[in-house]
Amino acid sequence: MRKNDINHIVIIGGGSAGWLSAGLIAAQSHLTHNAKVTLIESPDVATLGVGEGTWPTMRKTLKTIGISETQFIRECDASFKQGSRFDGWCDDPTSSQSNEYYYHPFSLPVGYQNINIAPYWFAQHEAVSFSHAVASQTYFCDHHKAPKTHLHSDYQAQANYGYHLDAGKFAHLLMRHCVDKLNVTHLLCHVDEVINDDDGYINAVSTGDHGLISGDLFIDCSGHHSRLIDKHYKIPLQTQDHILFNDRAVAVQVPYADDQQEIVSYTKATAQDTGWIWDIGLQTRRGVGMVYSSEYESTQGAKDKLISYLKTTQHELDVSQLTIRELSFKPGYRTQFWHKNCIAIGMSAGFIEPLEASALVMVELSLNTLLANFPTHRNAMPQLSKRFDQQCHYRWQRIIEFLKLHYVLSKRSSDYWQAHRNTNTIPQSLLDNLALWQYQSPWLNDFDRAQEVFSAASYQFVLYGMKYLPEFPQMNMPAAIIEHFTNNQQTAKQGLANLPTNRQLLEHIKKFGLQPI
């Protein structure tokens, strides 16, 4: 064994980020030359179980780790997510057309890889919404349909989907699987000290119960605490509160009215004067919360808005029996994500806000980037870390621009929303794109990296959901385009007839399971 080989990977912190890191790394040991994996987790830090959303990428991640979809759904209170619905984001709530909504589904617009169909929709924009015209999945969301039937195997489906899940149960499932199936060493203890070698690389961490734990590569998954990247290496956070203002949330777990209440297959985001409310449907409960800016809203004010929302969605709900948790965060990301032999993944790397559920997908993307460029020797780390940091910075910047897009296009009139539309708070690249998109529709060349976080299709759904229409003559529709629109409606009609509801399929999976691939 050569000195400076990467033989031992030490992960600091559990939760979804820590155990996803352990699972993906240990399950792909051929990429790490069979490096040993140890996860050190504080016994005092609980995982927040407010309900969390994933992207469709999670299906591949779970399959890679070796967890069946049946087991995941049964043990994580998970349900199917087919996108997001935005209620009341478009217009001033005092207008006659207030509380309109639009979808950002996970499916691409019909024919997307071959033709940009958006310009042909503009002629009929008053008759049918963009998402309903180009994505049959939108109709499935309207009717609480699942994206698949019981005849589909694990992770296969008729429509693209991710999940809603209980974060605490998810971390526990990953932990058991990693320890029992993937030979990950799990240590419950506190990290008391971080010890560098003469070159400034971490040589070991000191723990009270297990002494010195040496390693070659350290992954910081310690969340906002950021034990290694911040507390030890002092890598600063690049704050983004000048662009996106939210820095607080209040959250609550809400039981269903009865065991037959519909489980929605999308994340519902409802605009408020000082923020927005998320509503996530799991199998046994809802995870609901309000994210807001402390500059424009008090904690009590946010709680009042949350309770008012809950009463409108479930009239018989006894809110006095609910426990509302208070959360705070600083929107931003690290100036460096990989320093020496330490890599920040998860919230230790950064967090912006819950909109569009980018937190877990950034964990997945970061891990995939690491494993595709895994260092076999310490001398490779300086160049690999530079490449890793460039990729991560690009992704964070694209996330921020896409999230900002939702706020910039709103016509809501409160101070909070007007401040978001101030051009001084909008990244220049987004301003440039908006100027361009007044005259043409975004498509493949606008965002052309192999692993874009949000494709041009996502921008189309938000732009046209928010009624940001280009200023150019309407285009005549050739027969091939009409056929695309017609096929989308036929696919929607067939799916509505054949697909079970979200609840029906979840009940079937709990009783009978799905066929493994």
Side-chain angles (χ1 to χ4, degrees), residues 414-433:
S414 68
D415 291 345
Y416 169 87
W417 292 91
Q418 290 190 52
H420 268 110
R421 293 196 294 272
N422 186 323
T423 54
N424 293 330
T425 73
I426 305 174
Q428 186 60 48
S429 53
L430 178 56
L431 287 172
D432 292 343
N433 278 329

Side-chain angles (χ1 to χ4, degrees), residues 48 224 247-250 292 326-331 347 351:
L48 291 174
H224 293 304
D247 60 356
R248 300 285 189 277
V250 288
Y292 62 99
E326 302 172 14
L327 311 169
S328 64
F329 55 91
K330 185 178 291 186
M347 289 190 179
F351 181 76

Side-chain angles (χ1 to χ4, degrees), residues 64-196:
T64 299
I65 291 174
I67 296 174
S68 75
E69 190 168 32
T70 295
Q71 182 185 17
F72 165 71
I73 286 173
R74 286 175 173 173
E75 296 191 24
C76 298
D77 202 13
S79 62
F80 299 109
K81 174 183 176 178
Q82 299 187 67
S84 298
R85 194 179 100 169
F86 296 88
D87 286 40
W89 286 66
C90 302
D91 301 311
D92 189 323
T94 61
S95 74
S96 59
Q97 293 182 320
S98 64
N99 297 321
E100 290 186 353
Y101 67 86
Y102 71 93
Y103 285 105
H104 174 199
F106 283 144
S107 294
L108 295 172
V110 63
Y112 178 76
Q113 298 297 342
N114 300 313
I115 190 168
N116 188 358
I117 201 169
Y120 299 96
W121 163 78
F122 299 142
Q124 54 179 326
H125 74 269
E126 293 183 353
V128 59
S129 74
F130 178 70
S131 61
H132 284 88
V134 305
S136 58
Q137 187 166 49
T138 309
Y139 291 93
F140 306 157
C141 291
D142 279 338
H143 296 275
H144 312 305
K145 292 291 188 178
K148 60 195 291 180
T149 75
H150 68 282
L151 298 177
H152 286 97
S153 301
D154 271 4
Y155 304 120
Q156 297 178 342
Q158 178 172 329
N160 200 16
Y161 69 94
Y163 305 99
H164 292 138
L165 55 84
D166 182 304
K169 292 180 179 179
F170 184 47
H172 187 67
L173 169 64
L174 289 169
M175 180 270 290
R176 290 199 340 268
H177 182 82
C178 288
V179 172
D180 296 344
K181 306 292 186 182
L182 299 176
N183 299 316
V184 172
T185 300
H186 181 207
L187 303 178
L188 277 173
C189 56
H190 295 286
V191 171
D192 299 323
E193 185 181 0
V194 182
I195 302 167
N196 284 357

Side-chain angles (χ1 to χ4, degrees), residues 369 386-395 449 451:
T369 300
K386 185 183 300 183
R387 185 181 300 175
F388 185 88
D389 280 347
Q390 289 172 345
Q391 185 77 275
C392 288
H393 275 100
Y394 176 83
R395 287 172 176 156
R449 290 209 181 184
Q451 288 188 327

Side-chain angles (χ1 to χ4, degrees), residues 9-31:
I9 302 164
V10 179
I11 301 168
I12 307 297
S16 298
W19 287 111
L20 278 172
S21 299
L24 278 171
I25 292 170
Q28 299 175 91
S29 58
H30 59 288
L31 299 176

Side-chain angles (χ1 to χ4, degrees), residues 364-377:
E364 296 173 274
L365 289 171
S366 298
L367 288 166
N368 291 337
T369 300
L370 168 62
L371 288 166
N373 298 274
F374 192 80
T376 58
H377 191 278

